[in-house]
Amino acid sequence: MNPDPLRPSPAAPATLGVIIGRNPTRLWGMTSTERLNRSLKIAGVKDIRSYDRLGDFAGGSVLIVSNDWVFDVSIIKGLATRPNTVIIDGETRRAVAANVDAAQLSAAIALIEHGAGSLPAEVQPLSAEDVGGNYNHELRKKESPYLLQLTPETLAAVERRMFSGSYKGVTDFVTKFWWPRPAEVVTRWCSHGGMSPNQVTLIGFIAVLISFWAFWNGHYLLGLASGWLMTFLDTVDGKLARVTLTSSPMGNVFDHGIDLIHPPFWWWAWIVGLVAYGTPTPYADLALWVILIGYVVQRVLEGIFMSLFDMHVHVWRRFDSFFRLITARRNPNLVILTPFALAGRPDLGILLVALWTALSLVVHAVQILQGLVARRHGPLRSWLAA
């Protein structure tokens, strides 16, 4: 038995997607039609047409969307598997999208495009949140999906909301608090300039290599400048992919592979570069092993937590989300290293990173133990999904 009448068991995606109306307003370098096409394809709808090109379509479930609105992709994905559903905008009370049988196609289009007529009683009116949910598992945040009217006057507000919606809810404090405004500007430049997320990632990868070379040779300020550029571009490429709906399996592997692999190589190069810089430390080998082992084991512990409890450790409790802001990952470590490099003591900076890595590792180990204890009273549930 399904416990939630608003969330029926998933059905196969709609057979046909129909985009009605024309909207010349461009957002993030795309027309509304281009974005809706991408949204429908992500939702598994393979046959997509405009209303004037329906041709000989004879039967099946039809997903109808209006070009005058911008839909969070979660709404399209949810609606694609919910036959006999119409989405009503909460403010205007207008029907803006529907998933109906082919026999109801004309009536649904008239209702969405002109507000005329009605649909059979079995077609259930729901809100965007009913269909799209209010917890984004991929981005680890509790947030209502956006449904926004697209006009030249609303464009700026629509793009701001879309960019905000592309941000992870749980991440490090640099990404969460320092980068949003400049990243929005650069993401807009990239989207209107036709740059792909993979091109941005490639520039970031070049910056990774420059930082490695610079740290290895004791050129810490150059390496930090290149490293901070990389961390910024690492924010931009993901946001660009999400607002333009251009994520790809290859891009995900490229981006996340770089993120996963390069940090320990940076810290290794930093320690090697201490000799060239003139501040060698007798604790260099110990610091290196603490950082490398701590980094690997911390990632393993995160995977163990996911395997045991079917959720990211960073979204379990409020404390876990807070600790993700400062845990010994790349960006917080760079925050530690930068002032020490500017003060001419990169040796002290890397020793502090080693200490923080060890402490963070202890916290992650305790989180697993606490999870095992808490599971005795029932499955763990994220505080964000409550």
Side-chain angles (χ1 to χ4, degrees):
M1 183 178 72
N2 178 20
D4 185 354
L6 288 180
R7 300 204 177 281
S9 300
T15 306
L16 173 69
V18 177
I19 302 172
I20 59 174
R22 299 185 183 279
N23 194 329
T25 305
R26 300 179 69 88
L27 69 165
W28 300 110
M30 303 174 290
T31 64
S32 179
T33 300
E34 287 172 328
R35 179 178 170 81
L36 287 173
N37 265 284
R38 294 175 187 179
S39 298
L40 290 165
K41 288 177 181 177
I42 290 171
V45 181
K46 295 180 172 59
D47 188 359
I48 305 169
R49 312 181 194 180
S50 59
Y51 183 44
D52 56 1
R53 293 195 304 105
L54 288 180
D56 57 355
F57 179 73
S61 180
V62 185
L63 199 164
I64 309 159
V65 288
S66 170
N67 235 330
D68 292 331
W69 296 80
V70 178
F71 299 83
D72 192 307
V73 72
S74 67
I75 299 173
I76 303 297
K77 290 168 70 175
L79 184 62
T81 57
R82 298 180 68 110
N84 295 319
T85 299
V86 60
I87 295 179
I88 305 297
D89 173 58
E91 293 187 10
T92 64
R93 306 306 302 166
R94 288 177 53 183
V96 297
N99 184 342
V100 296
D101 186 81
Q104 300 159 354
L105 177 60
S106 296
I109 289 177
L111 181 64
I112 293 170
E113 194 166 25
H114 305 295
S118 61
L119 291 171
E122 64 266 22
V123 178
Q124 185 179 23
L126 295 176
S127 70
E129 188 170 303
D130 291 334
V131 175
N134 63 0
Y135 179 60
N136 189 317
H137 290 271
E138 179 187 355
L139 298 182
R140 308 174 200 170
K141 62 180 176 180
K142 185 174 184 179
E143 182 178 66
S144 296
Y146 54 77
L147 174 62
L148 306 165
Q149 196 163 14
L150 180 62
T151 68
E153 293 73 28
T154 65
L155 177 61
V158 167
E159 289 194 337
R160 280 195 301 272
R161 177 62 183 86
M162 291 173 68
F163 185 82
S164 171
S166 73
Y167 243 84
K168 286 184 178 179
V170 179
T171 185
D172 65 87
F173 71 93
V174 174
T175 302
K176 191 175 183 70
F177 300 119
W178 293 8
W179 289 154
R181 287 198 176 187
E184 181 179 354
V185 173
V186 174
T187 300
R188 185 172 289 107
W189 289 346
C190 292
S191 65
H192 287 278
M195 284 190 70
S196 71
N198 287 346
Q199 289 172 325
V200 177
T201 304
L202 179 59
I203 297 172
F205 178 61
I206 293 171
V208 165
L209 299 179
I210 292 172
S211 291
F212 178 82
W213 175 87
F215 293 154
W216 188 276
N217 290 280
H219 304 309
Y220 292 111
L221 297 185
L222 172 61
L224 284 167
S226 181
W228 279 117
L229 173 64
M230 185 274 167
T231 72
F232 176 70
L233 295 178
D234 189 39
T235 291
V236 171
D237 60 6
K239 308 306 173 289
L240 180 62
R242 293 182 194 119
V243 298
T244 60
L245 302 181
T246 51
S247 297
S248 67
M250 184 189 76
N252 283 331
V253 170
F254 187 30
D255 182 31
H256 295 300
I258 293 171
D259 290 347
L260 182 65
I261 293 171
H262 82 268
F265 286 93
W266 273 7
W267 316 143
W268 173 40
W270 187 286
I271 290 172
V272 170
L274 292 175
V275 175
Y277 188 79
T279 56
T281 170
Y283 304 107
D285 289 344
L286 176 60
L288 177 60
W289 284 112
V290 169
I291 291 172
L292 295 184
I293 293 174
Y295 178 81
V296 173
V297 174
Q298 180 175 322
R299 290 291 187 148
V300 170
L301 291 177
E302 290 176 5
I304 291 173
F305 194 98
M306 172 71 80
S307 176
L308 289 173
F309 309 115
D310 196 29
M311 72 167 68
H312 290 280
V313 62
H314 308 298
V315 302
W316 177 24
R317 303 162 302 184
R318 288 180 182 271
F319 169 81
D320 305 310
S321 296
F322 164 77
F323 195 72
R324 178 62 181 88
L325 292 169
I326 58 175
T327 191
R329 292 282 191 92
R330 180 196 63 208
N331 289 0
N333 286 349
L334 284 177
V335 171
I336 293 172
L337 292 169
T338 298
F340 283 98
L342 290 171
R345 294 305 303 269
D347 55 326
L348 297 181
I350 201 67
L351 292 177
L352 188 55
V353 166
L355 176 61
W356 184 233
T357 299
L359 293 174
S360 296
L361 183 60
V362 171
V363 171
H364 284 296
V366 170
Q367 287 169 321
I368 290 180
L369 295 176
Q370 291 173 328
L372 291 171
V373 173
R375 191 171 63 177
R376 297 175 183 175
H377 306 288
L380 270 60
R381 180 176 173 81
S382 170
W383 73 278
L384 293 169

